Amino acid sequence: MENNVTEFIFMGLSQNEKVQQLCFFLFLLFYMILMTGNFLIIMTIQMSPNLNSPMYFFLSFLSFVDICYSSVTAPKLIVDSQAKVKNISFVGCMVQLFFCHIFGCTEIFILTVMAYDRYVAICKPLHYMTTMDQKVCSILVVTCWLGGFVHSFIQTILTVQLPFCGPNLIDHYFCDAHPLLKLARTDTYVVGLIVIANSGMISLSCFVILVGSYIVILLSFKTRSSEGRCKALSTCASHIIVVILFFVPCLFIYLRPSTTFTEDKMVAVFYTIITPMLNPLIYTLRNMEVKNAMKRLWMERLLVRNKRDSGMKLNGIAIASVVPVST
């Protein structure tokens, strides 16, 4: 069967005009908070010499992935909230599908790597700096990217080869595997199983690894002092909150047969926009080192600005004192 669909039309989150207006302002605010918070995390870590541990290296990478991941879907959602026809070309849809899954899967892997980093730091502190050196951290980040690329490539190739002959109405706000499989004019049972194996099992296996690693970390608290226990628990609590907010919606969407529910759109909002927006707040509010680093950078910038303004005023006074007064 030939593919004669040149574009798809999104139904969006709602057909109600008032709800669409609310979505426009709400998600515009969310996206601005998301971009500002994650850029602030990256700048703080890059400009603070004391935040040079592997944990902060991975955190800055997570913030970068969050920016990229949300930028695949959020701007289109915001623009479509003001549009009467929410259309996207066939090529644009496949591109969005590819980048959505490459960044989403990379985030899953980086969260797993961050859990391993916390496990080594808390359970094997004497071997931490030798185990998690710069070379190992770089290899882990590259592996996350490669894993995300392979996953997304498989997902996109499976979808782009399906015959789409109409209808072209997607009951979603972005191009994803399950809504597209529903529109394909062929039996998608086998493809649906591959999607579950490719997306669902990756999410489930990483989630099990994460839960297992944090259980081991929590059990190790028995041998620690109360101060060390509180510090380690505070760090792990931030990771656990992020893992729950990101993985539970992903498991709901991808760990099931190729079916779609009306709730899928709202669930997808959590892992594409809400969680990336909350990540900077969760990590900074519960991390004194990051908060102190942000305060120091803010104070340094204020001091530089005050010195610059004072210098400009002194130069202005000096120039005024040497200019002859005409009589």
Side-chain angles (χ1 to χ4, degrees):
M1 296 178 68
E2 294 183 358
N3 184 1
N4 57 10
V5 172
T6 59
E7 70 173 12
F8 293 102
I9 298 174
F10 295 128
M11 291 183 66
L13 292 175
S14 175
Q15 301 299 308
N16 187 293
E17 290 188 5
K18 292 183 178 180
V19 175
Q20 290 187 38
Q21 290 295 323
L22 177 63
C23 287
F24 173 77
F25 291 107
L26 191 63
F27 288 113
L28 180 61
L29 176 63
F30 286 172
Y31 188 60
M32 291 172 64
I33 295 172
L34 183 155
M35 296 293 285
T36 304
N38 283 291
F39 269 122
L40 189 60
I41 289 283
I42 295 171
M43 290 177 60
T44 301
I45 293 173
Q46 293 297 320
M47 298 175 67
S48 300
N50 59 320
L51 299 181
N52 58 356
S53 68
M55 182 181 75
Y56 297 113
F57 173 74
F58 293 130
L59 179 56
S60 64
F61 179 64
L62 176 67
S63 292
F64 173 74
V65 173
D66 278 336
I67 290 172
C68 297
Y69 186 36
S70 294
S71 296
V72 175
T73 57
K76 177 67 175 171
L77 172 62
I78 294 167
V79 171
D80 283 349
S81 298
Q82 297 294 299
K84 291 184 178 180
V85 180
K86 306 171 180 61
N87 61 327
I88 186 172
S89 67
F90 179 85
V91 174
C93 183
M94 295 302 128
V95 170
Q96 188 183 54
L97 174 69
F98 175 80
F99 282 106
C100 184
H101 278 270
I102 191 174
F103 292 129
C105 190
T106 301
E107 179 152 352
I108 287 175
F109 289 143
I110 196 63
L111 288 171
T112 308
V113 168
M114 290 175 73
Y116 173 71
D117 171 72
R118 289 300 84 205
Y119 164 76
V120 177
I122 295 171
C123 299
K124 299 181 180 180
L126 297 178
H127 304 280
Y128 180 61
M129 296 311 297
T130 54
T131 303
M132 302 297 293
D133 58 14
Q134 187 62 40
K135 181 180 179 181
V136 172
C137 292
S138 300
I139 291 173
L140 288 173
V141 167
V142 172
T143 304
C144 290
W145 277 117
L146 287 176
F149 175 80
V150 172
H151 158 79
S152 185
F153 182 77
I154 294 172
Q155 200 88 325
T156 307
I157 288 296
L158 288 172
T159 307
V160 77
Q161 292 180 345
L162 294 173
F164 296 98
C165 307
N168 64 341
L169 191 64
I170 299 177
D171 188 16
H172 216 299
Y173 66 90
F174 70 94
C175 291
D176 203 3
H178 286 321
L180 289 170
L181 290 179
K182 187 177 180 181
L183 298 180
R185 306 295 291 179
T186 187
D187 184 11
T188 58
Y189 177 76
V190 176
V191 178
L193 291 179
I194 298 174
V195 168
I196 294 173
N198 190 28
S199 297
M201 294 311 297
I202 287 176
S203 302
L204 181 62
S205 58
C206 288
F207 183 69
V208 170
I209 292 171
L210 285 162
V211 171
S213 64
Y214 285 122
I215 289 174
V216 173
I217 291 171
L218 292 173
L219 291 175
S220 70
F221 287 167
K222 296 178 181 179
T223 60
R224 293 186 168 272
S225 63
S226 58
E227 183 180 354
R229 192 184 302 121
C230 290
K231 184 177 180 181
L233 184 61
S234 177
T235 302
C236 290
S238 303
H239 292 245
I240 293 170
I241 292 170
V242 171
V243 165
I244 292 172
L245 288 174
F246 188 81
F247 274 88
V248 171
C250 285
L251 291 172
F252 174 79
I253 295 293
Y254 296 110
L255 198 64
R256 68 169 195 244
S258 181
T259 54
T260 57
F261 301 120
T262 54
E263 295 85 4
D264 288 354
K265 293 182 286 187
M266 294 307 302
V267 172
V269 169
F270 273 91
Y271 62 82
T272 58
I273 299 175
I274 302 298
T275 302
M277 179 191 69
L278 293 178
N279 280 353
L281 299 175
I282 293 170
Y283 282 112
T284 54
L285 290 177
R286 300 188 63 88
N287 192 312
M288 288 302 298
E289 290 181 340
V290 176
K291 286 195 288 187
N292 291 334
M294 286 183 176
K295 290 177 182 177
R296 281 195 297 271
L297 288 176
W298 183 253
M299 293 302 297
E300 288 173 3
R301 289 197 172 263
L302 286 177
L303 288 173
V304 170
R305 184 176 179 181
N306 289 336
K307 288 181 180 179
R308 186 179 60 196
D309 292 343
S310 299
M312 292 176 64
K313 289 179 180 179
L314 290 174
N315 289 336
I317 294 171
I319 292 172
S321 64
V322 297
V323 174
V325 180
S326 60
T327 56

